[in-house]
Amino acid sequence: MPEMPEVETIARQLRRRVEGKRIVGVRLSGLPLRKPVSPGLGAALVGRTIRRVRRYGKYLVLTLEPKAFWLIHLGMSGRLLYHEPGRAEGADHTHAAILFSDGDGLEYRDPRRFGLLALYEGASPRAIPEIRSLGKDPLEPGFTGEWLGRRLRGSRREVKSFLLDQGVLAGIGNIYACEALFGARIHPGRRCATLTGRECGRLAAAVQKVMRDAIRRRGTTFSDFRGADGKAGGNQDYLAVYMKEGKQCVECGRPIRRISQGTRSTFFCQQCQR
DNA sequence: CGGCGGTCCTGTCAGC
DNA sequence: TGCTGACAGGACCGCC
């Protein structure tokens, strides 16, 4: 479910709420997620204070004191919900329930269990293997058409699969890959190396615009994304192609098409995207 | 190297 | 009203 704008939305909401709070209790479901949860996670969290909430690609890293890092990935169906004392918790699929010293709580829910919870010691979040393997964040200043051009040169892969590769660009998922390619008017099946310098510039700009707009609207709630406050996002009303098969293209009026690339659906306009 | 398909898991929806 | 199959925001692995 959550791509970078959704994870960024949660990070911003959590920052205000949890930074400086001390963890006094943890309950874990004990069920494995994408991988088994770090065995000592519960015990390690209790007594520690959350100092910082940071996002890397689609990952969240909570810096704890005494020094440790709590790595969180929401997979397809994960939620992180913050709540004040007394609110009901422990709903189905809650795999971690945190209690803070002031009575507030934080819950990790993930019905499909494609997410990840792990604890890392070490000097910095950059030392975490999952973080180290991430590529460039599209909101970093270094992400430009020139940078993109350099990475695309010589690659025969399809540009959509390139956008989804977290080791190259961190944070783009299926919705925003489709939307960015539409914004740049580039066909998703184009081979990377065939993109011109001008097209690379358009694509970099489109990726940034799509991500910034989505963050501004607090994420895309296609069916079940929720912010840390439990509220839906607002970006779903602004999608041009994702899940719009058969609907009219906002530019040319022709029907949006759906194809499969690998195991994933791609939505695009055959007229506008070349 | 890269594309493809399968895998993890539950929920939902369309079609019969 | 069930049942079944397809598919869903992600990531990883092994095979060609």
Short mmCIF file of all heavy atoms in Angstrom, two decimals, chain A residues 1 58 73 222-223 258 264-265, chain C residues 6-13:
data_model
loop_
_atom_site.label_atom_id
_atom_site.label_comp_id
_atom_site.label_asym_id
_atom_site.label_seq_id
_atom_site.Cartn_x
_atom_site.Cartn_y
_atom_site.Cartn_z
N MET A 1 0.83 -1.20 0.00
CA MET A 1 0.00 0.00 0.00
C MET A 1 0.86 1.24 0.00
O MET A 1 0.87 2.00 -0.97
CB MET A 1 -0.90 0.00 1.23
CG MET A 1 -1.56 1.32 1.55
SD MET A 1 -1.71 1.72 3.28
CE MET A 1 -2.30 0.26 3.98
N LYS A 58 10.78 3.79 1.40
CA LYS A 58 9.50 3.44 2.03
C LYS A 58 9.70 2.93 3.45
O LYS A 58 8.76 2.40 4.06
CB LYS A 58 8.79 2.35 1.19
CG LYS A 58 8.50 2.79 -0.24
CD LYS A 58 7.94 1.64 -1.06
CE LYS A 58 8.01 1.97 -2.55
NZ LYS A 58 7.64 0.81 -3.39
N HIS A 73 8.81 -1.27 8.04
CA HIS A 73 8.31 -1.19 6.66
C HIS A 73 6.85 -1.63 6.68
O HIS A 73 6.51 -2.58 7.38
CB HIS A 73 9.13 -2.07 5.73
CG HIS A 73 8.88 -1.81 4.27
ND1 HIS A 73 7.74 -2.22 3.64
CD2 HIS A 73 9.62 -1.17 3.34
CE1 HIS A 73 7.79 -1.84 2.36
NE2 HIS A 73 8.92 -1.20 2.15
N PHE A 222 -6.15 4.49 -1.72
CA PHE A 222 -6.90 3.81 -2.76
C PHE A 222 -8.01 3.01 -2.12
O PHE A 222 -9.15 3.10 -2.48
CB PHE A 222 -6.00 2.96 -3.64
CG PHE A 222 -6.73 2.64 -4.88
CD1 PHE A 222 -6.90 3.60 -5.85
CD2 PHE A 222 -7.36 1.42 -5.02
CE1 PHE A 222 -7.68 3.34 -6.96
CE2 PHE A 222 -8.12 1.16 -6.12
CZ PHE A 222 -8.29 2.12 -7.09
N SER A 223 -7.66 2.21 -1.13
CA SER A 223 -8.73 1.58 -0.36
C SER A 223 -8.45 1.64 1.13
O SER A 223 -9.35 1.90 1.91
CB SER A 223 -8.96 0.15 -0.80
OG SER A 223 -7.81 -0.63 -0.55
N ARG A 258 -4.71 -0.75 -19.70
CA ARG A 258 -4.03 -1.48 -18.64
C ARG A 258 -3.25 -2.62 -19.27
O ARG A 258 -3.77 -3.37 -20.09
CB ARG A 258 -5.07 -2.05 -17.68
CG ARG A 258 -4.55 -3.02 -16.65
CD ARG A 258 -5.74 -3.75 -16.06
NE ARG A 258 -5.36 -4.51 -14.89
CZ ARG A 258 -5.98 -4.42 -13.72
NH1 ARG A 258 -7.01 -3.62 -13.58
NH2 ARG A 258 -5.59 -5.14 -12.72
N ARG A 264 2.83 -6.93 -12.32
CA ARG A 264 2.08 -5.77 -11.88
C ARG A 264 1.36 -5.08 -13.01
O ARG A 264 1.82 -5.06 -14.14
CB ARG A 264 3.05 -4.80 -11.20
CG ARG A 264 4.12 -5.56 -10.49
CD ARG A 264 4.44 -5.20 -9.10
NE ARG A 264 3.53 -4.47 -8.32
CZ ARG A 264 3.91 -3.62 -7.41
NH1 ARG A 264 5.17 -3.35 -7.25
NH2 ARG A 264 3.04 -3.03 -6.66
N SER A 265 0.25 -4.47 -12.66
CA SER A 265 -0.54 -3.74 -13.65
C SER A 265 0.07 -2.37 -13.91
O SER A 265 0.53 -1.70 -12.98
CB SER A 265 -1.97 -3.55 -13.15
OG SER A 265 -2.66 -4.77 -13.15
P DA C 6 -7.90 -17.22 -11.78
OP1 DA C 6 -7.69 -17.57 -13.19
OP2 DA C 6 -6.98 -17.73 -10.73
"O5'" DA C 6 -7.96 -15.63 -11.65
"C5'" DA C 6 -9.07 -14.92 -12.19
"C4'" DA C 6 -8.95 -13.48 -11.78
"O4'" DA C 6 -9.43 -13.33 -10.41
"C3'" DA C 6 -7.51 -12.95 -11.80
"O3'" DA C 6 -7.50 -11.67 -12.38
"C2'" DA C 6 -7.11 -12.94 -10.33
"C1'" DA C 6 -8.44 -12.67 -9.63
N9 DA C 6 -8.52 -13.21 -8.27
C8 DA C 6 -8.08 -14.42 -7.83
N7 DA C 6 -8.29 -14.65 -6.55
C5 DA C 6 -8.93 -13.47 -6.12
C6 DA C 6 -9.42 -13.07 -4.86
N6 DA C 6 -9.35 -13.83 -3.77
N1 DA C 6 -10.00 -11.86 -4.78
C2 DA C 6 -10.07 -11.10 -5.90
N3 DA C 6 -9.64 -11.38 -7.14
C4 DA C 6 -9.08 -12.59 -7.17
P DC C 7 -6.11 -11.02 -12.76
OP1 DC C 7 -6.31 -10.31 -14.03
OP2 DC C 7 -5.02 -11.99 -12.59
"O5'" DC C 7 -5.95 -9.96 -11.60
"C5'" DC C 7 -7.03 -9.08 -11.29
"C4'" DC C 7 -6.74 -8.44 -9.95
"O4'" DC C 7 -7.02 -9.38 -8.91
"C3'" DC C 7 -5.26 -8.06 -9.78
"O3'" DC C 7 -5.16 -6.66 -9.77
"C2'" DC C 7 -4.86 -8.67 -8.44
"C1'" DC C 7 -6.20 -9.04 -7.82
N1 DC C 7 -6.14 -10.21 -6.90
C2 DC C 7 -6.70 -10.09 -5.63
O2 DC C 7 -7.25 -9.02 -5.32
N3 DC C 7 -6.65 -11.13 -4.77
C4 DC C 7 -6.05 -12.26 -5.16
N4 DC C 7 -6.02 -13.27 -4.28
C5 DC C 7 -5.46 -12.40 -6.45
C6 DC C 7 -5.53 -11.36 -7.28
P DA C 8 -3.70 -6.00 -9.75
OP1 DA C 8 -3.77 -4.89 -10.72
OP2 DA C 8 -2.65 -7.02 -9.86
"O5'" DA C 8 -3.62 -5.39 -8.28
"C5'" DA C 8 -4.54 -4.39 -7.88
"C4'" DA C 8 -4.39 -4.15 -6.39
"O4'" DA C 8 -5.06 -5.19 -5.67
"C3'" DA C 8 -2.94 -4.25 -5.91
"O3'" DA C 8 -2.27 -3.01 -6.09
"C2'" DA C 8 -3.13 -4.58 -4.43
"C1'" DA C 8 -4.40 -5.43 -4.44
N9 DA C 8 -4.11 -6.86 -4.37
C8 DA C 8 -3.54 -7.64 -5.32
N7 DA C 8 -3.40 -8.89 -4.97
C5 DA C 8 -3.92 -8.94 -3.69
C6 DA C 8 -4.08 -9.98 -2.76
N6 DA C 8 -3.69 -11.23 -2.99
N1 DA C 8 -4.65 -9.69 -1.57
C2 DA C 8 -5.03 -8.44 -1.33
N3 DA C 8 -4.93 -7.37 -2.13
C4 DA C 8 -4.37 -7.69 -3.31
P DG C 9 -0.99 -2.90 -6.96
OP1 DG C 9 -1.27 -2.43 -8.32
OP2 DG C 9 -0.30 -4.16 -6.74
"O5'" DG C 9 -0.16 -1.80 -6.27
"C5'" DG C 9 -0.71 -0.89 -5.32
"C4'" DG C 9 0.41 0.01 -4.80
"O4'" DG C 9 -0.10 0.77 -3.73
"C3'" DG C 9 1.55 -0.75 -4.14
"O3'" DG C 9 2.60 0.17 -3.98
"C2'" DG C 9 0.96 -1.15 -2.82
"C1'" DG C 9 0.01 0.02 -2.54
N9 DG C 9 -1.33 -0.39 -2.14
C8 DG C 9 -1.70 -1.61 -1.70
N7 DG C 9 -2.96 -1.72 -1.39
C5 DG C 9 -3.47 -0.45 -1.66
C6 DG C 9 -4.79 0.06 -1.54
O6 DG C 9 -5.79 -0.54 -1.16
N1 DG C 9 -4.89 1.38 -1.93
C2 DG C 9 -3.84 2.12 -2.38
N2 DG C 9 -4.10 3.35 -2.71
N3 DG C 9 -2.60 1.65 -2.51
C4 DG C 9 -2.49 0.36 -2.13
P DG C 10 4.03 -0.54 -4.13
OP1 DG C 10 5.07 0.40 -3.71
OP2 DG C 10 3.99 -1.10 -5.48
"O5'" DG C 10 4.03 -1.77 -3.11
"C5'" DG C 10 4.20 -1.55 -1.72
"C4'" DG C 10 5.33 -2.39 -1.18
"O4'" DG C 10 4.94 -3.78 -1.17
"C3'" DG C 10 6.63 -2.32 -1.98
"O3'" DG C 10 7.67 -2.20 -1.04
"C2'" DG C 10 6.69 -3.64 -2.74
"C1'" DG C 10 5.93 -4.57 -1.80
N9 DG C 10 5.22 -5.64 -2.47
C8 DG C 10 4.44 -5.55 -3.60
N7 DG C 10 3.89 -6.69 -3.94
C5 DG C 10 4.35 -7.59 -3.00
C6 DG C 10 4.10 -8.97 -2.84
O6 DG C 10 3.40 -9.69 -3.55
N1 DG C 10 4.75 -9.50 -1.75
C2 DG C 10 5.56 -8.79 -0.90
N2 DG C 10 6.10 -9.47 0.10
N3 DG C 10 5.80 -7.50 -1.02
C4 DG C 10 5.17 -6.96 -2.08
P DA C 11 9.16 -1.96 -1.54
OP1 DA C 11 9.83 -1.17 -0.50
OP2 DA C 11 9.12 -1.51 -2.93
"O5'" DA C 11 9.83 -3.41 -1.51
"C5'" DA C 11 9.97 -4.03 -0.23
"C4'" DA C 11 10.38 -5.48 -0.42
"O4'" DA C 11 9.35 -6.20 -1.12
"C3'" DA C 11 11.66 -5.67 -1.22
"O3'" DA C 11 12.52 -6.43 -0.41
"C2'" DA C 11 11.21 -6.43 -2.47
"C1'" DA C 11 9.97 -7.15 -1.94
N9 DA C 11 9.02 -7.53 -2.96
C8 DA C 11 8.55 -6.76 -3.99
N7 DA C 11 7.68 -7.38 -4.75
C5 DA C 11 7.59 -8.64 -4.19
C6 DA C 11 6.83 -9.78 -4.53
N6 DA C 11 6.00 -9.82 -5.58
N1 DA C 11 6.97 -10.87 -3.76
C2 DA C 11 7.80 -10.83 -2.71
N3 DA C 11 8.56 -9.82 -2.29
C4 DA C 11 8.40 -8.75 -3.08
P DC C 12 14.02 -6.64 -0.71
OP1 DC C 12 14.72 -6.30 0.53
OP2 DC C 12 14.37 -5.99 -2.00
"O5'" DC C 12 14.11 -8.21 -0.93
"C5'" DC C 12 13.50 -9.08 0.02
"C4'" DC C 12 13.40 -10.45 -0.59
"O4'" DC C 12 12.29 -10.48 -1.50
"C3'" DC C 12 14.64 -10.83 -1.40
"O3'" DC C 12 15.11 -12.08 -0.97
"C2'" DC C 12 14.14 -10.87 -2.84
"C1'" DC C 12 12.67 -11.21 -2.63
N1 DC C 12 11.81 -10.81 -3.77
C2 DC C 12 10.89 -11.73 -4.26
O2 DC C 12 10.82 -12.85 -3.73
N3 DC C 12 10.10 -11.39 -5.30
C4 DC C 12 10.21 -10.17 -5.84
N4 DC C 12 9.41 -9.88 -6.86
C5 DC C 12 11.14 -9.21 -5.36
C6 DC C 12 11.92 -9.56 -4.32
P DC C 13 16.59 -12.52 -1.27
OP1 DC C 13 17.27 -12.70 0.02
OP2 DC C 13 17.18 -11.62 -2.30
"O5'" DC C 13 16.35 -13.93 -1.96
"C5'" DC C 13 15.29 -14.78 -1.52
"C4'" DC C 13 14.95 -15.74 -2.65
"O4'" DC C 13 13.97 -15.11 -3.50
"C3'" DC C 13 16.16 -16.09 -3.51
"O3'" DC C 13 16.38 -17.48 -3.53
"C2'" DC C 13 15.81 -15.57 -4.89
"C1'" DC C 13 14.29 -15.41 -4.85
N1 DC C 13 13.82 -14.29 -5.70
C2 DC C 13 12.79 -14.54 -6.63
O2 DC C 13 12.31 -15.67 -6.71
N3 DC C 13 12.37 -13.51 -7.41
C4 DC C 13 12.94 -12.31 -7.29
N4 DC C 13 12.48 -11.34 -8.07
C5 DC C 13 13.97 -12.04 -6.35
C6 DC C 13 14.39 -13.06 -5.58
#
